[in-house]
Amino acid sequence: QQQVKQSPQSLIVQKGGISIINCAYENTAFDYFPWYQQFPGKGPALLIAIRPDVSEKKEGRFTISFNKSAKQFSLHIMDSQPGDSATYFCAAPNSGGSNYKLTFGKGTLLTVNP
Amino acid sequence: DTGVSQNPRHKITKRGQNVTFRCDPISEHNRLYWYRQTLGQGPEFLTYFQNEAQLEKSRLLSDRFSAERPKGSFSTLEIQRTEQGDSAMYLCASSFYRGNYGYTFGSGTRLTVV
């Protein structure tokens, strides 16, 4: 069974600052680590994902950094904007093969002040 | 096809009543998942279907819960004899079997048991 620990629980950042959210997992046999973004009243939406054969993936202002030996991956949001204010979840799969039975962290509530 | 559709968006029911939720996945997706999310927590896996076959059920899914996906299209989640502890957001997601990484979630059904 996969375990995922996410920190911090909440984060307040000024506009233009860098937001960093961390995630640690236990089971190493998997190939896919996504981050989801959730706004109030909406379902989570896939933001960015990484496979463990690379150490970093960047999409616009969002970057995932992956440390396989430490079993950790983190989300960096550069030039944070008030529209980024949302809850962010990391996740890891419970079985070999993607798209199957994700275990989610407890979430990080990000507030970006204008 | 604009995404995963869930109905109703909100449901208030009295304890002991039965409720049924519907999910219409993205039509090309052959995998369908149900998750439950309580306040301040990440989504928790309940069950998933590949086409019409229900391939796994979480131990969170007591015998009061039943899910179906007739003909591999839409899915229903029924809760019998609802309890206050069933109050949560019920999320449906869909994905391809292979070649894609990441779920598409619906906006969920918010269940309140009074």
Side-chain angles (χ1 to χ4, degrees):
Chain A
Q1 187 74 1
Q2 183 65 278
Q3 296 288 332
V4 174
K5 294 183 179 180
Q6 184 174 343
S7 62
Q9 191 172 3
S10 63
L11 180 62
I12 300 174
V13 174
Q14 291 300 118
K15 179 181 176 181
I18 301 173
S19 304
I20 301 174
I21 305 171
N22 300 301
C23 200
Y25 63 96
E26 291 189 353
N27 197 318
T28 58
F30 308 123
D31 63 352
Y32 172 69
F33 296 90
W35 285 92
Y36 283 81
Q37 179 188 56
Q38 187 175 30
F39 293 104
K42 299 291 188 182
L46 179 65
L47 186 63
I48 186 172
I50 195 168
R51 303 188 71 174
D53 53 352
V54 297
S55 60
E56 186 174 284
K57 182 175 180 180
K58 184 176 181 179
E59 290 185 0
R61 296 185 294 108
F62 301 91
T63 299
I64 298 180
S65 297
F66 187 78
N67 185 331
K68 191 173 182 178
S69 60
K71 300 182 191 178
Q72 293 177 346
F73 58 110
S74 60
L75 175 69
H76 296 234
I77 305 174
M78 311 300 287
D79 187 26
S80 300
Q81 300 297 311
D84 297 330
S85 297
T87 301
Y88 292 81
F89 296 95
C90 62
N94 276 53
S95 180
S98 302
N99 291 344
Y100 171 60
K101 197 177 175 182
L102 293 175
T103 294
F104 287 81
K106 291 189 175 184
T108 297
L109 178 60
L110 172 65
T111 303
V112 181
N113 289 328
Chain B
D1 196 318
T2 57
V4 177
S5 176
Q6 291 189 248
N7 288 289
R9 291 295 312 277
H10 303 275
K11 179 71 177 178
I12 301 174
T13 191
K14 292 184 178 179
R15 189 175 52 186
Q17 297 294 305
N18 299 344
V19 294
T20 300
F21 311 140
R22 177 176 170 128
C23 171
D24 288 273
I26 293 173
S27 56
E28 310 90 83
H29 288 178
N30 47 18
R31 282 192 174 178
L32 185 148
Y33 312 81
W34 285 99
Y35 279 73
R36 182 170 68 187
Q37 186 177 25
T38 53
L39 199 61
Q41 301 293 318
E44 295 176 295
F45 173 82
L46 292 178
T47 188
Y48 99 99
F49 293 83
Q50 185 163 305
N51 300 312
E52 67 275 10
Q54 187 175 19
L55 296 186
E56 184 169 345
K57 295 193 294 184
S58 164
R59 52 189 167 82
L60 292 176
L61 214 65
S62 76
D63 56 5
R64 296 185 297 107
F65 288 71
S66 62
E68 295 182 342
R69 192 184 183 196
K71 302 180 182 178
S73 56
F74 70 92
S75 176
T76 57
L77 178 68
E78 181 183 16
I79 308 174
Q80 295 183 327
R81 306 180 303 280
T82 52
E83 302 173 355
Q84 286 189 322
D86 297 332
S87 295
M89 175 77 85
Y90 290 84
L91 293 164
C92 176
S94 67
S95 73
F96 289 106
Y97 169 59
R98 61 175 76 241
N100 191 19
Y101 299 95
Y103 298 166
T104 300
F105 279 96
S107 291
T109 295
R110 168 76 62 189
L111 173 67
T112 303
V113 182
V114 297

